[in-house]
Amino acid sequence: MDTMPSEKPAVGMPRLGAPAPTFEAATTHGTLKLEDFRGSWVILFSHPADFTPVCTTEFIAFAKLVPEFKKRNVELLGLSIDSTFSHIAWVRNIEEKFGVKIPFPVIADLNKEVASLYGMIMPGESTTETVRCVFIIDDKGILRAMIYYPLSNGRNMDEILRLIDAMQTSDKHGVATPANWRPGDKVIVPPPRTASDAEERVKAGYECTDWYFCMKSL
Amino acid sequence: MPCISADGTLTVAARKVMTAMQSPTPLEGAANASGLPLYQIRSSVRELVQAGLVEVLEDGRHVLTEAGRQKLAAQS
């Protein structure tokens, strides 16, 4: 009898809009719990391994954007399946060789606890390393966005910053943002839910292409 | 324990947090005074309370215990 190739059970995945899975982990800044970040947005991101070139470029790029993240009340928290000692040696090496100080903590997830909670290990890519994940958690501890990149390609930090801006704008103004939106661009007014609201909408003074597609400046 | 090194000495972060808590201080105040992010203050204070070096007052502020004062003074 033919059988399907055996597969390991699917890795658990967190869900958008749900509370981010909690954890307590050893980091380069001491033992941290996710709840220690309450009141701040958090970018929890994983990298495959310390002392690897793509990851090094990403850490440098993240570090350079820290002032921009701080302005937005965002803290960074890195992770890989390496030891604290390895992380410390690597961030010191980055400072020595590239002149960039890494100011954010990095989780030493040797037992893969956090990686498993967040579905950071993709066996098709690697069973021993985390892929390049980004989890954006808001100031109330809700998981708001997830981005996954493969081992071979570094992330676009500008897009992560742009997404933070977009989500914080949506939260503040109750609007949505169109493709490729940037701060200062027009935003989308949420579509009306009833026929009578649709009738009202086109008279409301927004820039409407049709009843369901209205934009405004903030 | 990251606040206390293996040789029993206070770490740099612990000294900063404890220096900020010589008089009763809210966590946010300790963050401002020490220049450390609030998440690191929360983490450090949790460990310092466990170690008996910092106590939580009824109004929620934190302050060094006598043991904490002695430990900090010994390393200053």
Side-chain angles (χ1 to χ4, degrees):
Chain A
M1 188 175 77
D2 289 341
T3 55
M4 296 290 288
S6 65
E7 288 186 358
K8 288 182 179 172
V11 177
M13 297 283 287
R15 293 181 185 275
L16 295 187
T22 58
F23 57 80
E24 178 173 345
T27 81
T28 50
H29 289 196
T31 301
L32 294 176
K33 296 182 177 184
L34 180 60
E35 68 193 50
D36 291 333
F37 293 87
R38 64 185 177 275
S40 299
W41 289 60
V42 180
I43 294 176
L44 169 63
F45 68 97
S46 58
H47 65 278
D50 297 347
F51 292 101
T52 53
V54 177
C55 303
T56 301
T57 65
E58 290 188 317
F59 260 51
I60 291 170
F62 270 127
K64 287 183 174 172
L65 277 180
V66 161
E68 291 300 318
F69 286 124
K70 291 271 184 199
K71 281 184 203 167
R72 293 158 175 81
N73 188 30
V74 179
E75 299 286 355
L76 291 167
L77 179 56
L79 177 149
S80 75
I81 302 169
D82 289 293
S83 70
T84 307
F85 299 118
S86 171
H87 287 333
I88 291 170
W90 184 41
V91 298
R92 286 174 62 86
N93 182 266
I94 291 173
E95 185 170 5
E96 182 189 330
K97 302 293 184 190
F98 298 91
V100 177
K101 193 170 182 65
I102 303 301
F104 48 81
V106 188
I107 294 174
D109 198 32
L110 276 175
N111 59 11
K112 303 181 188 175
E113 258 181 42
V114 182
S116 300
L117 268 178
Y118 280 81
M120 294 173 171
I121 298 170
M122 301 286 170
E125 286 274 312
S126 170
T127 54
T128 57
E129 299 165 307
T130 46
V131 294
R132 302 180 194 283
C133 307
V134 178
F135 299 91
I136 302 179
I137 300 164
D138 72 14
D139 52 352
K140 296 169 190 67
I142 302 298
L143 181 59
R144 298 289 297 274
M146 298 187 279
I147 308 172
Y148 284 75
Y149 274 56
L151 299 178
S152 53
N153 306 99
R155 285 159 278 208
N156 184 326
M157 308 307 165
D158 288 338
E159 167 57 10
I160 296 168
L161 195 60
R162 189 199 72 87
L163 182 55
I164 292 274
D165 282 332
M167 289 191 293
Q168 292 186 344
T169 297
S170 289
D171 286 1
K172 185 175 179 185
H173 299 282
V175 295
T177 57
N180 301 321
W181 178 87
R182 293 271 173 190
D185 291 352
K186 289 172 185 165
V187 296
I188 293 174
V189 184
R193 302 216 172 226
T194 65
S196 56
D197 285 352
E199 196 69 32
E200 287 290 315
R201 172 60 57 84
V202 292
K203 300 174 192 164
Y206 299 125
E207 296 172 38
C208 294
T209 305
D210 204 337
W211 64 272
Y212 70 92
F213 195 107
C214 296
M215 303 189 78
K216 69 175 183 179
S217 298
L218 291 175
Chain B
M1 181 178 289
C3 284
I4 301 174
S5 303
D7 62 0
T9 57
L10 295 169
T11 60
V12 174
R15 287 203 303 272
K16 286 184 180 176
V17 174
M18 291 173 70
T19 300
M21 293 188 164
Q22 295 185 83
S23 58
T25 313
L27 296 181
E28 293 77 6
N32 289 335
S34 65
L36 295 172
L38 188 53
Y39 69 79
Q40 198 168 1
I41 297 288
R42 287 175 176 144
S43 162
S44 297
V45 165
R46 186 167 56 243
E47 293 174 13
L48 291 168
V49 168
Q50 248 181 349
L53 302 176
V54 165
E55 63 180 328
V56 190
L57 302 176
E58 281 184 5
D59 62 6
R61 292 181 300 168
H62 291 72
V63 70
L64 291 187
T65 61
E66 188 51 38
R69 286 180 200 288
Q70 288 177 14
K71 186 110 184 157
L72 183 62
Q75 280 190 237
S76 296

